Amino acid sequence: MKFSPDARPERWLGSLALAIISLISLGNVITRYVTGGSLAFTEEFSVFLLVVLTFAGASVALRRNGHIRIGLLERALPAGPRKLLILFQWLCGALVLGMIAWFGGKLTWEEYQWQSLSPGLGLPQWWYLAWLPLLAAAMLIRLTQQTRDRLSGRLEDEP
């Protein structure tokens, strides 16, 4: 049986975000065609859902080893140094994702304390921002899973 890593929660979240973007955009087009006006919430929600879709998709790609990586050096190294390089790659990715999660969480908390409202609909801004640290943390988990699978030999790069 072939090993097939999965990121089901992120796939569902990304699919749901894409479906909602499609529906509200279609609704906006129909409304604009029929009434000549536009629905006020569509742009704000579409941008927010596009960010959710991007982070959820990136998390799925991490788990499936689908991100672009130049593996020339990795394939040229013997097993020991290759594992060190994989760990170094994990460390760099974890550092970036950890910073996104940390500062995104900090920003979300500040927006919650300040009770900032979104410019279009007047909804609490932290509702939109809370997804940034959550999905960055999900990506960090998927990166760690991917690294563990690469180090154990269950996940290999294409030759």
Side-chain angles (χ1 to χ4, degrees):
M1 182 169 157
K2 186 179 178 211
F3 174 68
S4 179
D6 195 18
R8 188 168 292 149
E10 293 94 328
R11 282 189 312 139
W12 277 98
L13 184 62
S15 298
L16 182 64
L18 183 60
I20 294 171
I21 289 170
S22 300
L23 288 174
I24 63 177
S25 296
L26 176 65
N28 195 31
V29 168
I30 291 171
T31 301
R32 192 177 310 144
Y33 180 73
V34 172
T35 67
S38 181
L39 299 172
F41 71 93
T42 57
E43 182 183 357
E44 191 171 303
F45 279 170
S46 292
V47 169
F48 156 67
L49 290 170
L50 190 59
V51 172
V52 170
L53 176 61
T54 301
F55 272 81
S59 185
V60 172
L62 265 173
R63 185 64 185 125
R64 293 182 176 180
N65 203 26
H67 280 283
I68 296 172
R69 177 175 49 247
I70 299 173
L72 180 68
L73 177 62
E74 200 173 298
R75 285 190 293 273
L77 290 173
R82 181 182 310 130
K83 287 186 179 194
L84 287 175
L85 180 60
I86 291 170
L87 286 172
F88 179 70
Q89 292 168 349
W90 172 84
L91 181 64
C92 291
L95 183 65
V96 169
L97 290 170
M99 287 174 50
I100 292 172
W102 171 258
F103 288 111
K106 193 173 176 182
L107 178 62
T108 302
W109 180 249
E110 288 173 354
E111 292 291 330
Y112 174 76
Q113 288 179 319
W114 295 335
Q115 299 178 357
S116 299
L117 301 176
S118 65
L121 296 175
L123 296 173
Q125 192 72 25
W126 70 268
W127 288 4
Y128 300 121
L129 293 172
W131 291 93
L132 179 67
L134 291 174
L135 289 171
M139 287 178 66
L140 182 57
I141 291 167
R142 298 307 182 188
L143 175 67
T144 302
Q145 290 173 329
Q146 176 202 56
T147 302
R148 183 194 64 215
D149 292 341
R150 288 175 67 208
L151 288 172
S152 69
R154 289 193 304 172
L155 201 59
E156 293 183 12
D157 290 328
E158 294 180 21

